[in-house]
Every structure is written in structure tokens, then in C-alpha cells.
Amino acid sequence: MADMLVAANATLCLSSAPSLGTPRSSVQSHQHSSFWGSRYILKAHVSKGRLNFLSERLSGKQTQRDGVRCQLSATRPESIVEKQKPEDVYSSLSQVCAVLGSQWGDEGKGKLVDILARRYDVVARCQGGANAGHTIYNDEGKKFALHVVPSGILNNNAVCVVGNGVVVHVPGFFDEVKKLEEEGIVCEGRLFVSDRAHILFDLHRTVDGLREAELAGAMIGTTKRGIGPCYASKAIRNGIRFGDLRNLDTFEDKLEILLKDAASRFPDFTYDLDAEMERYRIYAERLVPYITDTVHFINEAYRQKKRILVEGGQATMLDIDFGTYPFVTSSNPSAGGICTGLGIAPNRLGDIVGVAKAYTTRVGAGPYPTELFGELGEQLRAAGHEYGTTTGRPRRCGWLDIVALKYTCDINGFTSINLTKLDVFSGFGKLKLGVGYKTQSGEKLKYFPSDLSLLESVEVEYEEMPGWKEDISLARQYEELPAAARAYVERIEQLVGLPVRFIGVGPGREALIVR
């Protein structure tokens, strides 16, 4: 039986005043409690056997432990959940919270990050580059398309960090900053780039296009933004970091090595070292206010009890280790990338919210078991406006893949789900959930396979559910959703074993149901 929430109103009464050294008992955990002589909410997550035990303890009988007499009365757990306000859910999130994509990217992570950023002091990107576009809206409905700058930049009280795991194209970075400042958003003093982050040069973009051309019919389908080649430079240790801009003499030597390496690999590649150096002398001066040791910054913020929000780019199904390799990105958009991309210890991570669309999409090549074709696929693409933020490419669309979602839940240890774009299904007569994979021989797979030939050949087992006609874009409470929409959400919860805490019903900040 799944864990259940047990709650009780408990009044603790002293039968004798203990000394300061006397152990104080807690009914919940049998450990020390500081809530002496007060009424408080007692919560426990318990299995069936433990529930039976606590039910006896919550029957109103008195209990005696270490000199403390406890009078307990039961309260229905549903009442606590029902009365919980959205702000309670936000404030209950941990000091370090992460928002990560659980599918193939484009799930709408930026919106939740933007909303949560108002409650956090630091918002950080930990991996990826300008291939990770986030579209968000401010309170006036103004649309912002961000690529490297964290979505928290719209919150004037937040400091934004681009971590060491990110690769940054400097001209693109300044273009983003310029557009934000034209809208009155201050970046200098609020936006910092790690001195350990690698610089993505124009040569990396050129190489990206040349590599894709070489692959011809077997193209990966990259954004050609140079992300992969930049990470390749990092891996073979001839990459250049932002901290290198502090010494332009050695910077020039390193840049020449990088350019010569590209020219030796691709005969048609040409370069002008002097022109490139002139550009970066100017950039070096402009970047002075932005470059900092973000590893120290993040950990010092943690020690000062600042609240830190981590924004993932791309998503787990594009992870270079766990995604549909080689049709993946060049970094780790899964939970492990938080630690390596920011320099924060694993035991400091708290809540990890997995963002999933109510359906699935992906851009580029690669296996996609629940993909829809024809009229239904076009209907879903049109209803969801599924075109890439970074490239404008039409996205491939399909039903929600529960097998893939459970796989990414395992990898990341998600604590809850943010289900986005539920409103897109308004007007769909029937919906489907991909709940299982079968091989061509009829064998049911118990896992998401790494073998792409197997993944491409699986037969998806679907559960069909009724759709709804109502426009749900104005719903702000869960109870306002049609019964069919609630049933769809609750079935997802049952299948993945996690609560859906946030439900997106439109693009704006306010179009979010919090449970």
C-alpha cells in the first residue's frame, strides 16, 4: 500500500517539569521535540503496518513517555491538503530546489522557475548553452525568449548565476543582456558567469555545421549552435574558460591552438586570429562586472541560508548518458549535472521538481515511441504552438510516454511533478497514455531500453481516457477542472507514484494551478 499521510492535533501537557537536561519526547518520531505545552500538527508518512500502529495511538487515549503526558485527537489528513494554500506549497520547498525537464526538452520549465524565483535569492543555470531556449511572460504579458540567462532574471530581487557547467557564446550573451535592459531589467550586479564556464566561439558553430554535413542522412539534428563542439573542446582539454580572459597574452596562445585544431580537422575551415583577438579584447573589458567564482558564490550563499533555485536546460531524455544516445545533447540535464555544473554537494539538494508536458514533444532526430503522425499530430502541434524557441523548428508531437517518464523519475529522484500545457487538450475527444512497451515478439519490457534499435521497434501499450471540451485556461483551483481533466492528472500520479503539485493551464504566470 502506498504511503499515507497521517495527521493529528496533539496537546502536550507536562506531568512534571523536566530539567534542561531531561530528554523531551516527540510523538511523531520518538525523538526530541521543542514544542512543549503547545498544540501542533503531527505528520507522518507511514506504510500500512505502521498506520495501524499509529491509528491506535491517535484514538484519543493518553500516552506517557519520559514524564510527558500527551492527549491526542485525530484529524482527517484530507483536511490539511484541502486547506493548503499555494503559498504553503511554495514556502515548503527546500533551501536548494531544482526544476528539471523530464522529457525531451521544451516542457515549460522557465515558467515555473520564473514563478519560484520570487521566493528564492539565487537562480542558477548548471549546464547546456544557448540551445536551451525558455519562453516566459512577465506580469504585463510581455514575452521573453531566454537562452543562457536564467529565467529568474525577471525577478528584480534575485541574483542569477550561469554556472561552470554552462557553455556561453559571448556575443549571444550580450545580445540577451541588451534586450533585457531595453525592457528595463537590470542585469549588471545581478547576473554572474562562472570563471570556470567555457567560452563558445564562432568556430564551434562553424564546426557544428560541418560535422552535421558530414553525417548527411544520419544527422543528429543539433541546433548548430556549437554546443557539442564546445563541450568536445572542454573534454579534450583545449577549451578556453571565462577566467582566461583575465590574461589576454595566454588567452591568445590558447585561441590560436583552438583555431589551428579546427583547421587541421576541416580543410575548408579558415580563420583570422588577429580579428578574433580584437573582438575578445573588447569583450574582456565588458565582461569584468559579470565574471566571478560562482562555486564560492553558491556555497557562501548556502552557508548564509540563502534560498537557491536551480534551472535545468534541455531534459533527461536528452542527457548524454541517459538519453536516446547519440540523439542527445552534450551535457547532463539530469540531477547529477547540478552538482558538477555548480559545484554544490549532493547532500545539499532538496526538492527536485520534474517538469513534464501533458503530452510529449521532441526536436530533431531519434526514436520517439509515442509520436503522432498525420492529422492528429498536426492538431496537437497547432493547439500547443509547438515550434522551437531557439530554432523555430516544428516539434514532433505525441502522447504522454509514462515508461519514459518513470525512467526519468528514477534517475532524478523527483519529489513532485509540474504538469504543463494541460489546456492544450481542451477539445480533444479522447486521450491516450503510453503505459507500456512490448517487443515484436510480444515480450513486455520492464524498463526503458538503451538499445535504439529495440526502442524504435517497440509497440506501445496505451490506456485510453476521455477528453474534455471545456476551455480550462481560466481555472485556478484544481476543483475547477472538468472531471475528465482531473482523472487524467490523477492517473498520471498513480502511474508514476509522485504527486502532481503544479498544473499549467496557459502560458502566463497566473495560469498555474498549485495543489
Side-chain angles (χ1 to χ4, degrees), residues 100-159:
L100 303 180
S102 67
Q103 297 165 321
W104 282 276
D106 308 310
E107 299 94 347
K109 299 176 288 294
K111 174 180 170 179
L112 182 60
V113 171
D114 177 42
I115 292 169
L116 294 182
R118 293 184 249 180
R119 298 157 178 89
Y120 280 81
D121 305 298
V122 179
V123 182
R125 275 281 304 275
C126 59
Q127 47 68 227
N131 56 344
H134 292 163
T135 301
I136 55 177
Y137 297 79
N138 65 8
D139 290 332
E140 290 74 42
K142 174 72 177 178
K143 179 180 175 180
F144 293 83
L146 303 175
H147 301 278
V148 171
V149 176
S151 302
I153 197 70
L154 297 191
N155 169 27
N156 290 325
N157 296 318
V159 174

Side-chain angles (χ1 to χ4, degrees), residues 334-477:
S334 51
I338 299 171
C339 303
T340 58
L342 289 175
I344 192 167
N347 62 353
R348 292 180 173 179
L349 299 182
D351 288 288
I352 304 177
V353 181
V355 185
K357 279 178 181 168
Y359 48 99
T360 55
T361 62
R362 78 170 297 176
V363 172
Y368 185 7
T370 62
E371 184 171 10
L372 288 170
F373 300 95
E375 185 178 339
L376 192 54
E378 271 303 323
Q379 181 186 358
L380 187 53
R381 183 179 298 108
H385 306 289
E386 294 297 350
Y387 299 90
T389 303
T390 297
T391 63
R393 289 184 293 180
R395 296 172 182 144
R396 300 158 67 189
C397 299
W399 298 120
L400 182 59
D401 188 332
I402 296 295
V403 179
L405 184 55
K406 289 172 71 175
Y407 169 69
T408 60
C409 287
D410 283 344
I411 290 166
N412 293 288
F414 294 139
T415 52
S416 62
I417 299 293
N418 170 203
L419 192 69
T420 64
K421 304 190 82 165
L422 186 64
D423 56 301
V424 170
F425 277 145
S426 293
F428 280 67
K430 293 181 180 179
L431 308 178
K432 290 184 178 182
L433 292 169
V435 297
Y437 293 165
K438 287 195 303 185
T439 66
Q440 294 296 308
S441 62
E443 177 188 359
K444 186 170 183 178
L445 296 180
K446 297 179 181 180
Y447 56 90
F448 186 90
S450 62
D451 183 343
L452 294 199
S453 60
L454 176 59
L455 185 61
E456 288 171 339
S457 65
V458 296
E459 178 185 343
V460 181
E461 294 181 313
Y462 288 102
E463 281 188 13
E464 189 172 279
M465 302 190 70
W468 57 90
K469 296 180 179 180
E470 299 92 330
D471 177 4
I472 63 172
S473 62
L474 296 180
R476 297 296 177 265
Q477 301 295 325

Side-chain angles (χ1 to χ4, degrees), residues 10 46 48 70 128 136 150-151 212 235 253 289 291 311 343 389 413 454 475 498:
V46 294
K48 183 175 181 181
C70 306
I136 55 177
S151 302
E212 281 287 275
D253 294 338
I291 301 174
E311 172 182 8
T389 303
L454 176 59
L498 286 173

Side-chain angles (χ1 to χ4, degrees), residues 177-478:
V177 169
K178 180 182 177 182
K179 289 176 183 177
L180 288 165
E181 290 183 337
E182 285 174 350
E183 296 295 333
I185 297 167
V186 177
C187 294
E188 191 168 321
R190 293 186 49 233
L191 175 61
F192 298 103
V193 180
S194 173
D195 54 3
R196 294 175 173 86
H198 278 247
I199 299 172
L200 190 155
F201 293 93
D202 286 345
L203 73 92
H204 290 121
R205 293 184 164 193
T206 302
V207 168
D208 206 357
L210 293 170
R211 281 281 298 139
E212 281 287 275
E214 278 186 344
L215 292 170
M219 288 192 297
I220 301 298
T222 75
T223 59
K224 298 181 183 178
R225 297 298 176 101
I227 310 300
C230 186
Y231 276 114
S233 294
K234 178 178 179 177
I236 65 173
R237 297 177 295 282
N238 68 1
I240 301 176
R241 307 195 294 183
F242 274 78
D244 293 322
L245 286 166
R246 292 167 177 157
N247 189 333
L248 288 176
D249 290 336
T250 57
F251 181 92
E252 183 171 0
D253 294 338
K254 293 176 181 180
L255 181 56
E256 185 174 13
I257 291 171
L258 195 59
L259 289 165
K260 285 182 175 179
D261 182 68
S264 67
R265 172 65 178 80
F266 299 98
D268 295 333
F269 180 86
T270 60
Y271 63 90
D272 185 335
L273 177 62
D274 292 337
E276 193 75 341
M277 273 306 303
E278 187 59 34
R279 293 174 67 204
Y280 275 88
R281 284 190 181 93
I282 298 170
Y283 289 146
E285 188 174 342
R286 292 180 64 190
L287 282 166
V288 168
Y290 297 98
I291 301 174
T292 194
D293 184 342
T294 58
V295 175
H296 173 72
F297 180 89
I298 287 284
N299 283 284
E300 191 61 27
Y302 179 85
R303 280 187 285 270
Q304 293 178 12
K305 307 300 181 185
K306 301 294 186 183
R307 290 169 63 77
I308 301 167
L309 180 64
V310 182
E311 172 182 8
Q314 293 94 29
T316 306
M317 294 307 297
L318 293 174
D319 188 284
I320 194 167
D321 289 297
F322 303 114
T324 50
Y325 187 90
F327 301 99
V328 292
T329 191
S330 306
S331 61
N332 292 109
S334 51
I338 299 171
C339 303
T340 58
L342 289 175
I344 192 167
N347 62 353
R348 292 180 173 179
L349 299 182
D351 288 288
I352 304 177
V353 181
V355 185
K357 279 178 181 168
Y359 48 99
T360 55
T361 62
R362 78 170 297 176
V363 172
Y368 185 7
T370 62
E371 184 171 10
L372 288 170
F373 300 95
E375 185 178 339
L376 192 54
E378 271 303 323
Q379 181 186 358
L380 187 53
R381 183 179 298 108
H385 306 289
E386 294 297 350
Y387 299 90
T389 303
T390 297
T391 63
R393 289 184 293 180
R395 296 172 182 144
R396 300 158 67 189
C397 299
W399 298 120
L400 182 59
D401 188 332
I402 296 295
V403 179
L405 184 55
K406 289 172 71 175
Y407 169 69
T408 60
C409 287
D410 283 344
I411 290 166
N412 293 288
F414 294 139
T415 52
S416 62
I417 299 293
N418 170 203
L419 192 69
T420 64
K421 304 190 82 165
L422 186 64
D423 56 301
V424 170
F425 277 145
S426 293
F428 280 67
K430 293 181 180 179
L431 308 178
K432 290 184 178 182
L433 292 169
V435 297
Y437 293 165
K438 287 195 303 185
T439 66
Q440 294 296 308
S441 62
E443 177 188 359
K444 186 170 183 178
L445 296 180
K446 297 179 181 180
Y447 56 90
F448 186 90
S450 62
D451 183 343
L452 294 199
S453 60
L454 176 59
L455 185 61
E456 288 171 339
S457 65
V458 296
E459 178 185 343
V460 181
E461 294 181 313
Y462 288 102
E463 281 188 13
E464 189 172 279
M465 302 190 70
W468 57 90
K469 296 180 179 180
E470 299 92 330
D471 177 4
I472 63 172
S473 62
L474 296 180
R476 297 296 177 265
Q477 301 295 325
Y478 186 65

